[in-house]
DNA sequence: AATTTCATCAACCGCCAGGGA
DNA sequence: CTCCCTGGCGGTTGATGAAAT
């Protein structure tokens, strides 16, 4: 939702500060000291007026960012721990790229830091689209072609919602008009499957890739079905993944069957198709031939 | 040793939501 | 109710150093 410009003003956003007068780029130790000293003594007050008061030739926004991302005393620096990685994966599976929300659950870590860590480290462990999975390097190969929840952020869900709502296999009598509800429901399903597969991954593959749930929309609820997405470096691990995947599919079948018994509006032969859609399994079992 | 490529991360940019006038 | 200001957020960029050639 864009807001209207000011009366009598050209459309377009007014700059937050005079670009000609403010300094940009890396902060110097002197600037850091000025910023910290002032905030320590007076607090930051209004960020817009902060630079002038603190004697800095910086944009207020830049000052805020420098403080919140780097100079704040409670910031924890250094490598992320395994537990933190797990937490990030978990929260990302729930919230998508809501870095601030994720950061709020990781004391001492900033949204910027988490975002960078995700983009430079964790994202690489997520499978690319199934069409490219076969040619992907085997070091970070995934079975089967699965869609990580990381890719199902708000935008994706919103983009998918109309299509899903029109999909006869997934059609819900209640409709899917509100993607926030989808996310909400999704979030409310937090946990067990994810944790289970995190543990599985850890034991079987020493991998930290979480799983996701595939969604099936029912009249008043969403059923989540666990999904495998495992980074693998060994054949034995792949075998384990396949077995686990089969087991998960069986579990999913039970869930789908149970739901279908309450939703007779669906086509009779839809369950298998729906299940495969839920699991993103190619019909020809192509992924099983994966090398 | 020089050059190129890659990875990381601090910082910037533009958009949005919330609140006050 | 509308407009405006501010803080906050997420995506992207660019500087820098490390690794590879």
């Amino acid at each position: 939702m864009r807001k209207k410009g000011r009366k009598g003003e050209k459309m377009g956003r007014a700059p937050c500060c005079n670009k000609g007068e403010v300094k940009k780029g890396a902060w110097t130790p002197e600037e850091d000291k000025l910023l910290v000293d002032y905030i320590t003594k007076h607090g930051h007050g209004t960020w817009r007026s902060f630079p002038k008061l603190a004697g800095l030739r910086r944009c207020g926004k830049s000052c805020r960012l420098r403080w919140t991302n780097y100079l704040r005393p409670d910031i924890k620096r250094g490598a992320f721990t395994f537990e933190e990685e797990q937490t990030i994966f978990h929260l990302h599976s729930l919230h998508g790229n809501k870095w601030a929300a994720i950061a709020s659950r990781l004391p001492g870590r900033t949204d910027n830091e988490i975002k960078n860590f995700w983009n430079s480290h964790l994202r690489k462990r997520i499978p690319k689209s199934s069409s490219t999975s076969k040619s992907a390097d085997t070091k970070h190969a995934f079975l089967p072609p699965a869609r990580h929840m990381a890719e199902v952020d708000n935008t994706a869900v919103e983009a998918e919602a109309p299509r899903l709502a029109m999909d006869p296999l997934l059609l819900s009598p209640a409709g899917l008009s509100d993607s926030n509800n989808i996310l909400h429901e999704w979030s409310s399903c937090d946990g067990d499957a994810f944790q289970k597969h995190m543990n599985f991954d850890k034991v079987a593959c020493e991998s930290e890739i979480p799983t996701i749930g595939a969604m099936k929309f029912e009249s008043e609820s969403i059923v989540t079905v666990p999904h495998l997405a495992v980074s693998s470096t060994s054949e034995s691990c792949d075998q384990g993944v396949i077995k686990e995947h089969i087991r998960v599919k069986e579990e999913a079948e039970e869930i789908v069957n149970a739901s279908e018994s309450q939703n007779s509006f669906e086509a009779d032969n839809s369950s298998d198709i729906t299940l495969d859609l839920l699991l993103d399994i190619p019909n020809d079992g192509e992924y099983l031939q994966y090398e």
Side-chain angles (χ1 to χ4, degrees), chain A residues 144 193-194 196-197 200-201 211-214 224-230 240-256 275 278-279 281 287:
Chain A
F194 176 86
K196 188 164 71 178
H197 290 292
F200 164 74
D201 292 345
T211 61
I212 68 163
T224 64
V225 180
H227 216 164
L228 282 179
V230 179
V241 170
I242 292 167
K243 282 181 188 172
E244 177 69 4
H245 187 74
I246 291 167
R247 187 187 65 70
V248 167
K249 182 176 178 178
E250 287 168 359
E251 284 181 13
E253 281 173 349
E254 289 176 18
I255 295 170
V256 170
L275 183 60
L278 291 171
L279 294 170
I281 300 171
Y287 74 90

Side-chain angles (χ1 to χ4, degrees), chain A residues 38-40 42-50 53 64 67:
Chain A
Y38 188 88
I39 290 181
T40 305
H42 308 99
H44 62 71
T46 304
W47 283 114
R48 194 179 179 86
S49 57
F50 177 87
L53 297 169
R64 183 180 62 79
W67 173 253

Side-chain angles (χ1 to χ4, degrees), chain A residues 216 218 223 225 250-263 266 270-272 274-275 278:
Chain A
K216 175 173 176 59
E218 301 298 347
V223 177
V225 180
E250 287 168 359
E251 284 181 13
E253 281 173 349
E254 289 176 18
I255 295 170
V256 170
N257 289 338
S259 339
E260 280 178 352
S261 67
Q262 299 167 8
N263 294 277
E266 290 185 3
S270 65
S271 64
D272 285 345
T274 304
L275 183 60
L278 291 171

Side-chain angles (χ1 to χ4, degrees), chain A residues 136-189:
Chain A
D137 66 356
T138 53
K139 197 173 174 184
H140 293 293
F142 287 83
L143 278 173
R147 182 193 269 166
H148 189 277
M149 181 55 188
E151 297 170 358
V152 192
D153 59 12
N154 287 357
T155 307
V157 170
E158 285 171 8
E160 284 292 284
R163 185 187 68 77
L164 294 168
M166 294 303 294
D167 188 329
L169 295 175
L170 302 176
L171 187 63
S172 155
L176 287 169
S177 58
D178 188 349
S179 62
N180 287 332
N181 287 342
I182 298 170
L183 280 177
H184 176 75
E185 291 291 346
W186 184 293
S187 297
S188 71
C189 295

